[in-house]
Amino acid sequence: MRISLSIMYIILGKNGYIAEAIIKELTSRNLHHISFSRSDFDYTDFEKFSNYAHIHYNDLINPFKNATIINCAGYIGKPNVDACESSKADTIVGNVVFPSNLAAFCSQNYATLVHISSGCIYNGYSKHFTEEDPSNFDFQNGSFYSGTKALAEQLILKQDPNSYIFRLRIPFDEFKSPRNYITKILNYNKLLNAENSFSHRADFAKYTIDLLESKAPKGIYNVTNKGSMTTEEAIEMIKDHKITNKNFEFFDNLETFTSEVVAPRSNCVLDTSKIENQIKIRTVQEAFSDALSKYPKN
Ligand SMILES: NC(=O)c1ccc[n+]([C@@H]2O[C@H](COP(=O)([O-])OP(=O)(O)OC[C@H]3O[C@@H](n4cnc5c(N)ncnc54)[C@H](OP(=O)(O)O)[C@@H]3O)[C@@H](O)[C@H]2O)c1
């Protein structure tokens, strides 16, 4: 008997940093899921995606009907967002064209889209940004990457107002990785002291599935830990956990830091009231301390 995709979570971009955490969360809960990488087959070609599903799954009915498609694919720039400034076409295709077409595909096929967005579409401390606030850090006054993430949110909701958009912000966890905020700041020679929201990577995956399994109302959610943390506070906690005894140097001000990077960086705090009305989340300090207690010491 063939299994229908409709009972499954479908993860796109399976080799990515965030996809890895979501797949781990689904596996630990024994929830049916299937994940695709472009190296398996080109899921960004919707005809191929559709044909693949019809051939491998239930070919009598629409295999996508009632499926939940979690889009973890995107062009983030490596080693950092500066790379998006010099690869604008790839950034647009990966972050705007594909997700917007995917939203139209989900709408046509009665599937639920879950798109991973970013809190980096905001900057500044005039307020804690809610899901309703328009982006203030985009093509005009932010980075090209943040511009694409902000534009994608608008296009997705136009194509399929029944989508979920989950915003992640500065991921960290206990695993040494160039993608982990803890590993990143340990390796920088000079740091900018700024206050930000953060998402523990496994918490982000857990909260994503908690929201979906509890059938939270569709729409945008800031999926971060509660509260915020400054870079100085993070360094203090890192030292308290005896991860390093390095003496960190700080930039005198934002202007000096900005003059040393290609793309401006977002610094902001997201409001988490909306997610807290649906599920329980832990504070960034609790999650950061937990990650540090397991992070390799050397
Ligand atoms: N990590 C962060 O700091 C962060 C923060 C906020 C938001 N986000 C968002 O979270 C999502 C996942 O990010 P991630 O950190 O997991 O990134 P990642 O590790 O680079 O994974 C992204 C995956 O996207 C797939 N992909 C599909 N089309 C692509 C294209 N044109 N160019 C490059 N990759 C493409 C690739 O997977 P396959 O080859 O397996 O198909 C790739 O592994 C993105 O939308 C990103 O904007 C990330």
Side-chain angles (χ1 to χ4, degrees):
M1 193 189 77
R2 285 175 173 176
I3 302 168
S4 169
L5 280 176
S6 65
I7 54 163
M8 287 188 186
Y9 285 99
I10 302 169
I11 320 302
L12 302 181
K14 82 170 180 198
N15 293 329
Y17 187 58
I18 300 307
E20 183 186 40
I22 291 190
I23 292 166
K24 198 171 167 188
E25 180 67 24
L26 289 166
T27 307
S28 77
R29 295 195 196 195
N30 277 325
L31 290 168
H32 286 295
H33 61 278
I34 181 163
S35 48
F36 297 122
S37 160
R38 289 167 306 161
S39 57
D40 300 326
F41 84 100
D42 185 9
Y43 56 74
T44 66
D45 178 332
F46 291 100
E47 207 177 317
K48 279 193 191 146
F49 190 21
S50 218
N51 287 341
Y52 181 94
H54 277 283
I55 292 164
H56 289 82
Y57 297 93
N58 192 333
D59 55 359
L60 297 174
I61 54 162
N62 180 348
F64 295 103
K65 196 172 176 182
N66 300 324
T68 301
I69 301 185
I70 307 183
N71 179 31
C72 297
Y75 191 88
I76 61 159
K78 305 254 169 77
N80 57 47
V81 287
D82 286 345
C84 295
E85 304 290 322
S86 51
S87 307
K88 291 194 165 86
D90 288 335
T91 311
I92 283 273
V93 169
N95 293 349
V96 181
V97 178
F98 175 63
S100 153
N101 288 340
L102 182 61
F105 178 86
C106 287
S107 171
Q108 283 153 18
N109 287 282
Y110 310 99
T112 298
L113 172 63
V114 182
H115 175 70
I116 310 301
S117 188
S118 173
C120 76
I121 61 172
Y122 298 114
N123 187 39
Y125 302 108
S126 54
K127 64 180 306 208
H128 290 181
F129 295 95
T130 72
E131 289 79 355
E132 311 304 320
D133 287 316
S135 162
N136 69 354
F137 194 72
D138 49 25
F139 295 118
Q140 283 80 39
N141 44 17
S143 68
F144 194 77
Y145 169 78
S146 60
T148 60
K149 298 304 286 186
L151 181 59
E153 288 197 0
Q154 290 176 34
L155 292 174
I156 287 168
L157 292 178
K158 232 177 201 163
Q159 296 282 11
D160 185 359
N162 275 321
S163 302
Y164 285 108
I165 293 179
F166 292 163
R167 293 174 178 158
L168 169 78
R169 183 78 181 127
I170 317 184
F172 66 87
D173 64 12
E174 66 265 39
F175 305 107
K176 232 181 201 177
S177 154
R179 311 296 306 287
N180 180 350
Y181 172 74
I182 298 173
T183 312
K184 282 185 186 179
I185 55 171
L186 284 170
N187 288 332
Y188 285 140
N189 292 325
K190 218 169 169 183
L191 302 168
L192 175 72
N193 186 31
E195 181 186 6
N196 275 298
S197 293
F198 292 84
S199 304
H200 182 289
R201 187 165 63 127
D203 284 359
F204 176 85
K206 177 183 185 302
Y207 302 159
T208 290
I209 307 305
D210 283 350
L211 286 168
L212 299 175
E213 288 290 302
S214 65
K215 307 242 178 296
K218 304 280 174 60
I220 304 176
Y221 288 84
N222 293 335
V223 184
T224 67
N225 290 100
K226 187 179 164 68
S228 61
M229 183 170 66
T230 64
T231 321
E232 274 181 351
E233 193 183 351
I235 292 295
E236 211 170 288
M237 288 175 75
I238 286 172
K239 289 194 167 176
D240 285 350
H241 281 81
K242 307 206 182 326
I243 308 286
T244 186
N245 54 13
K246 180 174 164 178
N247 273 326
F248 290 90
E249 226 190 302
F250 284 88
F251 286 98
D252 291 335
N253 51 46
L254 180 63
E255 288 67 37
T256 330
F257 167 78
T258 307
S259 69
E260 293 198 11
V261 291
V262 176
R265 300 297 198 269
S266 134
N267 290 293
C268 65
V269 179
L270 302 185
D271 182 295
T272 51
S273 319
K274 187 171 175 184
I275 187 172
E276 287 180 81
N277 282 336
Q278 300 297 326
I279 59 169
K280 203 169 158 12
I281 63 171
R282 57 181 178 166
T283 65
V284 61
Q285 281 73 17
E286 191 184 348
F288 203 67
S289 182
D290 181 26
L292 289 173
S293 68
K294 297 165 190 157
Y295 192 87
K297 290 185 176 53
N298 57 24

